[in-house]
Amino acid sequence: MTLDIKQLTIKQAHELLINKKMSVLELAEAILKVAEDTRDLNAYLEIFDDVREQAEVAQKMIDEGKGTTLTGIPFAMKDNILIKGRIASASSKILENYTATYDAHVTKKLRDAGVIFVGRTNMDEFAMGGSTENSAFGVTKNPHDKTRVPGGSSGGSAAVVASGSALGALGTDTGGSIRQPAAFCGVVGLKPTYGSVSRSGLIAMASSLDQAGPFAKTVEDAEIIFDCIKGHDSMDSTSYTDEFINIKNKKPKIIGVPTEFVHAKGVDERVLKNFEESLEQMKNAGYEIKEISLPSLAHGLAVYYILMPAEVSSNLARFDGVRYGYHADGQNLLEDYMRSRGEGFGREVRRRILLGTYVLSAGYYDSYYGRACALREMLKKDLEKAFGGVDIIATPTTPTPAFKIGEKSNDPLQMYLADIFTVPVNIAGVPAISVPSGFIKEGDSMLPLGMQFIAPHFGESALFEVGKDFEKVQESNRI
Ligand code: GLN
């Protein structure tokens, strides 16, 4: 049997490596070849020049019996996660030449586990967007149909895992940026509980919503990566202690479905059909499906598009072109700022800074920011209540399959609607996973769809369980 490197999972690669069926270098070179062959996707912003040296270190770890499941595994990092000595640009012109001076907490954990960092992946500028079209370095193409977007903002990370040029990748998710591209590219994506993975060393977008998390081909692989990166970190004041993070959940049995919300205007009929079929399969697999009412979910988008820009406007104030980053000279200091920021940031980023500054300004604060904060609490409480009667909540991950490049880029409101199912999860801080749920045919292409499972705080182990069960029913359906 010949080995299809593009289909290889982390678990399988690990077994090949420890049984000496393959060396770390052979694996790394095979992956570099895939990266070379799929360059037209524009998923990597940079392939690192020390992959072979890293492979040597990892091989030594394995040979000395010091390896972990991730040792020697070729891995990709979204461009807003710091790797010491490497550029971290967040796909922005303003940070084009910024070199990280330290490792993010997640980077250090992965490095200690022995992964091979293959390169950094393309994204929407500062993680603002859902298509990678807002990158200063060109759009990434969807491996399933190159005329379509891979989703975003972590589109590069989703595309490298889907196309086989990394076995796993990290992304960040502020309103859906891991789950939505995972769904569009047909891979698994996990947004962990807020506070279970350290944000130290991530380039911040909206600090009360941001979380880093894994992309992988299978739920099992996503779990392996999550187990490596999770844990308390004293450098992140919102990080929980390990006794919370490591809670083991009881086996999930009841799946709640907010039917009214799922049938919102603008959700593609084929997505709904796929969703109903997926639920039916879970029912056959022994899960109880229960209808729930969660009317506050409908406010999710409105709340998100007030809170997120507010935090963006204050987080991005630090990029002034003085200490680091893109600098343009003006006649005086104020003009320096205006030119550096005006030329350094792209359109969408400037739009959100303006919006955020507006909603925080005197006279508007109470009617926008204050009200959004109040609604956030309401949404959290409603979800908590719903979880009193169900173990998991399910929705489609996205209202449509991957859209065409350019289709929504001039209509920000349409683009924002694509986040309808994912943003409530970030607002509440709970974890959610997107698992591939099949394909729909569109012209000559088969476009992947995703099923989103949501759990209460620290419910990751329940998500992995339900996710694996879902993979099984999908698998038996294909046979
Ligand atoms: N698409 C959403 C946005 O544009 C989510 C972004 C994210 O999660 N980083 O804000």
Side-chain angles (χ1 to χ4, degrees):
M1 205 181 82
T2 54
L3 177 71
D4 183 357
I5 200 85
K6 292 188 185 170
Q7 304 297 329
L8 196 65
T9 66
I10 292 177
K11 191 72 199 297
Q12 291 164 344
H14 169 66
E15 261 141 40
L16 292 174
L17 293 177
I18 53 164
N19 294 321
K20 311 277 178 208
K21 298 256 167 59
M22 199 183 219
S23 72
V24 177
L25 187 61
E26 278 165 349
L27 174 61
E29 299 215 312
I31 292 292
L32 285 176
K33 168 87 175 42
V34 178
E36 186 56 41
D37 293 346
T38 52
R39 257 171 74 163
D40 61 329
L41 295 177
N42 194 32
Y44 277 113
L45 290 175
E46 180 186 355
I47 304 265
F48 297 144
D49 53 9
D50 65 346
V51 169
R52 289 172 184 84
E53 284 83 351
Q54 293 184 62
E56 238 172 78
V57 176
Q59 188 64 59
K60 204 157 163 263
M61 276 175 81
I62 293 176
D63 294 345
E64 291 174 357
K66 294 182 188 143
T68 70
T69 322
L70 285 171
T71 308
I73 300 298
F75 208 86
M77 299 289 264
K78 187 178 181 179
D79 195 32
N80 58 352
I81 303 174
L82 304 194
I83 304 177
K84 189 176 178 185
R86 294 281 171 202
I87 287 176
S89 77
S91 283
S92 179
K93 192 173 157 190
I94 211 161
L95 287 178
E96 189 171 2
N97 298 314
Y98 170 72
T99 302
T101 53
Y102 65 99
D103 270 344
H105 188 253
V106 288
T107 306
K108 182 164 182 331
K109 288 218 161 196
L110 289 165
R111 192 192 293 288
D112 290 347
V115 308
I116 313 278
F117 294 115
V118 177
R120 52 192 180 90
T121 57
N122 199 12
M123 56 184 278
D124 285 296
E125 184 177 6
F126 283 99
M128 297 178 207
S131 64
T132 76
E133 290 167 294
N134 297 336
S135 166
F137 309 113
V139 64
T140 294
K141 300 182 177 111
N142 190 313
H144 293 268
D145 177 344
K146 289 180 194 160
T147 65
R148 290 175 189 268
V149 303
S153 63
S154 319
S157 287
V160 296
V161 173
S163 59
S165 55
L167 297 191
L170 284 198
T172 58
D173 190 314
T174 305
S177 280
I178 293 175
R179 291 158 288 154
Q180 184 252 28
F184 280 9
C185 291
V187 296
V188 174
L190 170 77
K191 198 293 279 184
T193 304
Y194 183 78
S196 62
V197 175
S198 169
R199 289 181 297 109
S200 165
L202 307 188
I203 298 176
M205 176 181 163
S207 307
S208 80
L209 304 159
D210 297 345
Q211 263 300 272
F215 285 94
K217 291 196 189 88
T218 63
V219 173
E220 183 181 39
D221 281 2
E223 185 176 5
I224 292 169
I225 301 168
F226 175 67
D227 282 344
C228 173
I229 60 172
K230 70 178 181 182
H232 178 72
D233 175 22
S234 57
M235 297 297 281
D236 175 355
S237 62
T238 58
S239 164
Y240 281 96
T241 53
D242 287 339
E243 59 187 307
F244 286 104
I245 298 171
N246 295 328
I247 287 175
K248 275 271 163 275
N249 315 121
K250 66 174 179 28
K251 188 172 168 40
K253 290 197 191 87
I254 309 175
I255 299 179
V257 181
T259 311
E260 212 179 309
F261 174 58
V262 167
H263 286 78
K265 213 173 103 212
V267 183
D268 191 313
E269 283 302 322
R270 297 163 303 172
V271 169
L272 288 174
K273 185 165 172 281
N274 176 275
F275 180 65
E276 297 303 334
E277 286 167 2
S278 301
L279 289 176
E280 199 53 39
Q281 291 165 5
M282 288 308 264
K283 206 160 135 188
N284 295 338
Y287 282 89
E288 181 187 336
I289 311 292
K290 201 165 150 184
E291 187 165 328
I292 54 172
S293 168
L294 269 171
S296 60
L297 284 191
H299 302 304
L301 269 186
V303 172
Y304 176 77
Y305 278 97
I306 299 287
L307 296 183
M308 174 274 296
E311 294 185 29
V312 158
S313 82
S314 68
N315 269 332
L316 271 61
R318 75 189 70 172
F319 302 109
D320 55 10
V322 175
R323 278 159 300 180
Y324 55 86
Y326 178 83
H327 176 85
D329 276 328
Q331 299 296 325
N332 51 45
L333 185 63
L334 191 63
E335 263 185 33
D336 272 19
Y337 289 154
M338 299 217 286
R339 277 200 59 199
S340 301
R341 286 169 64 83
E343 293 168 21
F345 289 135
R347 255 181 103 77
E348 183 62 22
V349 172
R350 278 179 284 146
R351 178 175 8 248
R352 294 191 192 197
I353 293 173
L354 287 173
L355 254 173
T357 310
Y358 179 80
V359 301
L360 288 176
S361 56
Y364 296 104
Y365 184 96
D366 287 337
S367 35
Y368 293 108
Y369 188 74
R371 280 174 75 186
C373 288
L375 267 171
R376 179 182 203 165
E377 291 312 310
M378 195 170 116
L379 202 145
K380 273 190 197 165
K381 283 212 181 79
D382 276 6
L383 260 183
E384 234 166 71
K385 220 160 77 202
F387 278 124
V390 301
D391 304 316
I392 296 285
I393 293 174
T395 72
T397 307
T398 59
T400 66
F403 42 88
K404 291 258 185 201
I405 293 171
E407 191 181 323
K408 298 188 192 219
S409 46
N410 290 323
D411 189 345
L413 281 182
Q414 268 306 314
M415 189 75 95
Y416 297 169
L417 277 177
D419 303 326
I420 186 161
F421 295 132
T422 49
V423 294
V425 169
N426 302 71
I427 291 170
V430 294
I433 195 166
S434 178
V435 184
S437 62
F439 296 85
I440 53 177
K441 196 168 158 42
E442 179 90 58
D444 289 338
S445 308
M446 293 299 278
L447 303 178
L449 294 176
M451 176 87 159
Q452 173 174 244
F453 296 109
I454 309 168
H457 288 91
F458 311 111
E460 278 84 353
S461 65
L463 289 181
F464 296 137
E465 208 153 330
V466 77
K468 285 175 197 168
D469 282 344
F470 186 59
E471 282 177 332
K472 268 187 228 142
V473 295
Q474 290 280 302
E475 189 63 34
S476 61
N477 245 36
R478 263 197 296 277
I479 294 167

